[in-house]
C-alpha cells in the first residue's frame, strides 16, 4: 500500500450474539480488512451492547459521537430524525426480496443515504437485510384484520409502523428491544412482529404459540459509520472499507434467507401454529393499509415515491 500508515482503530457494534447474520456481516468486514491491511488495522467487536446495559438504539448515538466506528441498526429507529426513512417503513411496499434489494442498493438507497448524511454525522456503508416481518402472538390465530382487534403489539419506534397496526385494529406499543423482551415475557404485550430469525433469536417462539406469515414490512438495517472517522481515513483504506461492506451485505442477505428456513423449523419444533395466508386472506390486510401509500405519495412527492418501484 506504500507509505507508513498509523494503525487504524475500528470498533464495530451490534445488538445480537456473534452467531446472527448481522454479527457475521461485521466479522466479514473486519476479516477482509485484516487480510488486506494486516497490523495496520486494529478491529474490536462489541457484539451485543445490551449485554453492557445499553439499549439497542444506543448504537446510533455511539456511532454519531465516535464511541463506535460503525454499527448496524434498523432504519426505523431513525425516522424521527430522518422523516424520509418513513417511506421504507410502509407496509406491503415491495413485491419480493429481489425488488426490495434492488431498491435499497439502487436509487432509493442513494436517496436515503443523502437524507441521512445531510442530518446526522454518518457515512452510510449499505443496508443489511432484516427481511420480511411476520406476526406472532399468545392469544389466537390471526387470519384476518378482525383477529387483531384490541391486541397489544410491540412495535419498532416508527410512526408508520404504529399507524399500520392501528388501522388493522391492534394497539401498538412502540419500544426498544430490551423493553420489548421484558414486555413479551411478562405478557404486558400480546403480540410482536419480526422476521422469523429474530423471533427465534429472542426466544419469542417459546412464549407465543401463534405465528402468521404476513410479510407486512421489509426492514433494512443500515450500516452507519462515524463520519469524522471515515473522512479521516486514507482514500485507499476508505475504498477498501466500502468494498468490504458491499460484499458483507451480499453475503449476509444469502445467510438471512437460509436462517429464515432454519428459524421456521425451530418454530414448528416448538409446537407453534404457523399460519400461511392465502392470497385472498393477505389482500384483506393490504386493502386496510393501502391509504398509507397515497399519503406517502402526497407527503414525499411522486418522484421520490417512484424510487421504491
Amino acid at each position: 500500500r506504500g507509505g507508513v500508515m498509523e494503525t487504524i482503530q475500528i470498533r464495530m457494534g451490534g445488538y445480537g450474539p456473534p452467531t446472527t447474520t448481522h454479527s457475521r456481516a461485521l466479522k466479514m468486514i473486519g476479516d477482509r480488512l485484516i487480510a488486506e491491511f494486516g497490523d495496520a488495522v486494529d478491529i474490536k467487536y462489541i457484539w451485543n451492547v445490551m449485554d453492557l446495559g445499553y439499549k439497542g438504539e444506543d448504537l446510533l448515538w455511539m456511532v454519531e459521537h465516535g464511541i463506535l466506528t460503525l454499527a448496524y441498526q434498523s432504519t426505523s429507529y431513525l425516522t424521527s430524525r430522518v422523516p424520509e426513512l418513513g417511506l421504507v417503513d410502509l407496509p406491503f411496499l415491495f413485491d419480493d426480496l429481489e425488488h426490495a434489494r434492488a431498491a435499497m442498493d439502487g436509487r432509493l438507497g442513494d436517496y436515503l443515504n443523502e437524507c441521512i448524511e445531510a442530518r446526522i454525522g454518518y457515512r452510510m456503508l449499505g443496508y443489511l437485510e432484516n427481511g420480511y416481518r411476520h406476526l406472532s402472538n399468545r392469544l389466537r390465530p390471526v387470519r384476518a384484520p378482525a383477529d387483531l382487534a384490541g391486541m397489544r403489539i410491540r412495535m419498532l419506534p416508527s410512526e408508520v409502523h404504529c399507524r399500520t397496526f392501528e388501522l388493522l385494529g391492534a394497539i401498538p406499543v412502540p419500544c426498544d428491544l430490551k423493553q420489548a423482551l421484558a414486555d413479551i415475557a411478562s405478557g404486558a404485550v400480546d403480540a410482536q412482529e419480526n422476521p422469523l430469525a429474530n423471533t427465534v433469536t429472542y426466544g419469542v417462539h417459546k412464549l407465543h404459540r401463534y405465528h402468521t406469515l404476513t410479510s407486512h414490512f421489509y426492514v433494512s438495517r443500515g450500516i452507519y459509520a462515524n463520519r469524522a472517522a471515515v473522512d479521516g481515513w486514507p482514500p485507499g483504506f476508505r475504498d477498501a472499507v466500502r468494498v468490504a461492506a458491499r460484499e458483507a451485505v451480499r453475503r449476509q442477505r444469502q445467510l438471512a434467507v437460509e436462517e429464515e428456513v432454519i428459524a421456521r423449523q425451530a418454530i414448528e419444533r416448538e409446537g407453534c401454529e404457523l399460519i400461511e395466508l392465502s392470497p385472498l386472506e393477505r389482500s384483506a390486510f393490504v386493502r386496510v393499509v393501502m391509504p398509507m401509500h397515497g399519503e406517502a405519495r402526497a407527503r414525499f412527492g411522486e418522484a421520490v415515491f417512484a424510487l421504491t418501484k
Side-chain angles (χ1 to χ4, degrees):
R1 284 276 162 185
V4 177
M5 202 162 87
E6 231 178 280
T7 303
I8 294 177
Q9 311 266 345
I10 296 184
R11 295 177 298 272
M12 304 197 206
Y15 57 112
T19 48
T20 69
T21 63
H22 302 91
S23 295
R24 288 159 76 185
L26 294 185
K27 186 79 165 60
M28 286 174 212
I29 296 171
D31 287 349
R32 187 166 175 142
L33 293 174
I34 288 168
E36 203 171 331
F37 295 95
D39 293 343
V41 63
D42 174 37
I43 295 178
K44 301 271 190 293
Y45 302 96
I46 298 166
W47 299 119
N48 191 348
V49 292
M50 295 195 302
D51 291 343
L52 304 178
Y54 292 100
K55 296 177 180 171
E57 64 190 348
D58 289 338
L59 288 163
L60 293 166
W61 64 255
M62 291 167 109
V63 171
E64 190 175 355
H65 297 292
I67 294 160
L68 292 172
T69 318
L70 65 90
Y72 63 81
Q73 179 54 277
S74 297
T75 56
S76 304
Y77 279 90
L78 280 176
T79 49
S80 59
R81 296 181 67 187
V82 186
E84 293 83 355
L85 286 168
L87 191 62
V88 285
D89 271 356
L90 284 168
F92 307 110
L93 183 63
F94 301 114
D95 301 331
D96 50 35
L97 286 178
E98 282 61 42
H99 175 198
R101 291 167 179 179
M104 295 309 294
D105 292 343
R107 291 185 312 149
L108 177 62
D110 292 343
Y111 167 74
L112 296 174
N113 289 345
E114 276 173 36
C115 294
I116 294 166
E117 290 185 4
R119 292 196 184 86
I120 309 177
Y122 294 147
R123 290 282 175 231
M124 297 302 296
L125 298 179
Y127 294 92
L128 298 169
E129 187 157 273
N130 208 5
Y132 276 112
R133 300 175 82 84
H134 307 293
L135 183 77
S136 80
N137 83 94
R138 66 191 180 94
L139 299 180
R140 55 185 170 266
V142 172
R143 290 188 173 279
D147 297 327
L148 288 169
M151 198 179 273
R152 288 174 59 78
I153 177 169
R154 179 267 167 165
M155 307 294 313
L156 287 171
S158 152
E159 238 175 83
V160 175
H161 281 196
C162 290
R163 175 100 198 288
T164 300
F165 275 87
E166 257 166 21
L167 288 174
L168 289 167
I171 300 162
V173 182
C175 64
D176 185 77
L177 179 60
K178 200 166 192 174
Q179 184 63 49
L181 297 180
D183 287 354
I184 290 164
S186 72
V189 296
D190 307 306
Q192 62 98 41
E193 46 85 58
N194 251 310
L196 298 183
N198 290 6
T199 295
V200 171
T201 296
Y202 307 145
V204 177
H205 62 312
K206 296 181 186 298
L207 301 163
H208 284 175
R209 179 168 171 200
Y210 306 103
H211 299 255
T212 306
L213 301 179
T214 42
S215 306
H216 49 274
F217 301 128
Y218 173 91
V219 174
S220 297
R221 285 180 172 174
I223 307 175
Y224 314 93
N226 177 270
R227 180 185 299 181
V230 175
D231 293 358
W233 289 336
F237 185 78
R238 196 182 312 143
D239 292 344
V241 171
R242 290 197 176 279
V243 169
R246 244 197 324 274
E247 177 59 19
V249 165
R250 191 185 67 75
R251 282 288 297 125
Q252 183 270 338
R253 288 172 179 172
Q254 291 171 338
L255 291 170
V257 170
E258 294 163 23
E259 201 172 59
E260 181 94 344
V261 175
I262 295 164
R264 182 176 174 152
Q265 290 163 350
I267 290 167
E268 286 170 335
R269 262 201 314 277
E270 200 62 38
C272 299
E273 206 171 310
L274 207 63
I275 295 154
E276 297 199 56
L277 300 175
S278 69
L280 194 64
E281 286 172 326
R282 192 166 183 270
S283 69
F285 288 88
V286 175
R287 203 165 47 245
V288 173
V289 298
M290 252 323 113
M292 296 180 71
H293 284 229
E295 288 162 16
R297 274 196 173 81
R299 182 179 175 194
F300 298 112
E302 209 47 74
V304 169
F305 191 82
L307 299 177
T308 64
K309 294 303 163 219

